[in-house]
Amino acid sequence: MPPRPVTPSRWLVLGLLLGVATPAGAKPPGPGTFCAEYPSAPACQGTQPACTYCHVAPPQRNAFGTALEASLAPGKPRPLSDEDFALGLPAALRAIANEDTDGDKAPNQFEIEQGSLPGDVTSVPPSGICGGGENPQFKVCQYDPRFVYRRLLSDFCGVSPTYVQVQTFLELGGDEPKRAFIDQELDRCLKSDFWRGKHGQLWKVAHPKIRPVGSIKSGEDAGQIPLADYYDDYALFAWSQTDDHDARDVLTAKFFVKRSGSNPTTYTSATSTSSQTVDAAHRAGNMTSAWTLTAFVMFTALPRNAASQMYRAYLGLDIAKQEGLHSVASEPRDYDAKGVKAEQCAACHATLDPLSYPYRNYNGISGALSNRYLPNRLELLFPNDAATLSQTPEKGVILGQPVNNLLEWAQVASNSDAFAISTVTDYWKLLIGHPPTPEENEEFVRTWQAFRTTHGYRVQKMLHDLILTEAYGAP
């Protein structure tokens, strides 16, 4: 049923919002100003809030309207003019945002954002009511610096604060000095071995990207069949995520990183290492490491597994789940005769195969030629299939953008929204315990956008934003 037109008489009723006297036919500023303050509120999606937000029946106010009136343009004569009302309403809404005016244990702002009524005790948020109320330890359902301090030491330093530390923290006074101290503690903990050391938190983030197999590891802690040293990959990953380093280095670096010492563990860039054999002109961070080529290229002519792993690990896009599909016209070509043109295969391979072509000349396991860039790799190693395989191009397509080689693949990937979103999601899951929920989405979007722009892909700066979110800091 189509909505009724707003007649002058209906605007007159709306004009009684909070006791504002409005002549018939005028359009009072209440609903529009409310929606400017809460643009994502369900009540503001294609409509405007009803009088019942503030009234039982105009001019009688409900609990929310009564609290709002008390904070609305204090000192101004009543009835308020439309101008004074519009100017005063945003501040009044913010003043009572954390109050629970209807006594249902859900703060007003939470109810507004969830779509329930903050002046009706029987109307509760669909995602549930936050306990609220008095708590001798924390500010339940609100950002609480004390809670953040305790949580931060556990998450980043691996220890709980002592009683003396907590008392010293509380003696700092207001929220601002406490938050400044929290920032200092975060920087201190980010240098701890718990965070960046061998098998520390950063290594935990890297596990699904590197996918270690101890039995074929070479170097330190070598396995029974030592083929490649994945500790090099952990070192570059940890380097890219710490200090003032660019997180994109994990995909684009032409250098290597060496780990040394403990308490603190240090990471140092190096131009060469005996365990890595791809020449400098063809290096693309962990995409071309000896471990990646050993574990994901192996003996394969067209390294689809290597391309899909990089796509999944660093962009968060799993082709097996039909994520990140950008079909390329006239693909797949099926240069290696694997039957990928079949109806049940073609939809994914029209994206996957062009992703894989830039890996054409990167060799996996084959004796002295292992883990190298070989311009004639397919012709050299697969002579019986050279007639068809040799047609495989090195040019490919990622995220709909053509690239000439794997280095360009890495550049497009690392500069994409997907890379920033995936990076921040990794830490969101590590520190908050789950991927961003719909309720957390607004904070999450702000965090990954700032990571990409304001912070120039610096993870350490992004983490200072993350610990300021309610998702992290509200018990």
Side-chain angles (χ1 to χ4, degrees), residues 84-276:
D84 286 341
F85 178 78
L87 290 174
L89 184 56
L93 288 167
R94 290 192 290 270
I96 65 169
N98 293 322
E99 295 182 15
D100 172 23
T101 51
D102 57 4
D104 62 4
K105 298 184 179 180
N108 295 331
Q109 180 174 335
F110 186 65
E111 292 216 61
I112 292 169
E113 292 172 348
Q114 289 274 303
S116 55
L117 297 174
D120 182 354
V121 70
T122 65
S123 175
V124 297
S127 66
I129 296 174
C130 186
E134 294 297 321
N135 185 301
Q137 298 295 321
F138 305 117
K139 299 176 182 177
V140 179
C141 299
Q142 302 174 49
Y143 188 89
D144 184 356
R146 178 183 178 180
F147 173 78
V148 172
Y149 174 57
R150 296 176 66 98
R151 185 175 191 177
L152 179 148
L153 288 187
S154 175
D155 288 344
F156 295 93
C157 270
V159 297
S160 296
T162 65
Y163 174 80
V164 172
Q165 285 178 307
V166 173
Q167 293 305 116
T168 301
F169 177 76
L170 294 177
E171 290 170 3
L172 292 173
D175 285 352
E176 287 306 313
K178 288 176 181 174
R179 290 187 182 183
F181 182 75
I182 286 171
D183 279 333
Q184 294 175 15
E185 288 291 89
L186 175 59
D187 286 335
R188 179 178 68 84
C189 288
L190 290 176
K191 296 185 181 299
S192 70
D193 268 16
F194 177 80
W195 183 255
R196 66 169 68 190
K198 182 180 179 181
H199 304 307
Q201 293 292 79
L202 285 180
W203 284 42
K204 182 188 297 185
V205 174
H207 287 340
K209 306 176 190 303
I210 297 169
R211 293 173 63 181
V213 180
S215 60
I216 60 174
K217 186 189 181 300
S218 63
E220 180 185 352
D221 303 323
Q224 294 178 330
I225 310 172
L227 296 179
D229 189 356
Y230 50 71
Y231 282 176
D232 291 343
D233 300 63
Y234 282 101
L236 176 56
F237 181 81
W239 160 280
S240 72
Q241 310 293 294
T242 52
D243 303 324
D244 196 36
H245 300 146
D246 191 326
R248 293 172 294 183
D249 285 343
V250 73
L251 295 183
T252 62
K254 290 186 174 295
F255 56 86
F256 307 109
V257 173
K258 295 182 178 180
R259 171 178 55 88
S260 60
S262 62
N263 294 313
T265 296
T266 60
Y267 295 94
T268 308
S269 62
T271 56
S272 64
T273 177
S274 60
S275 56
Q276 300 294 329

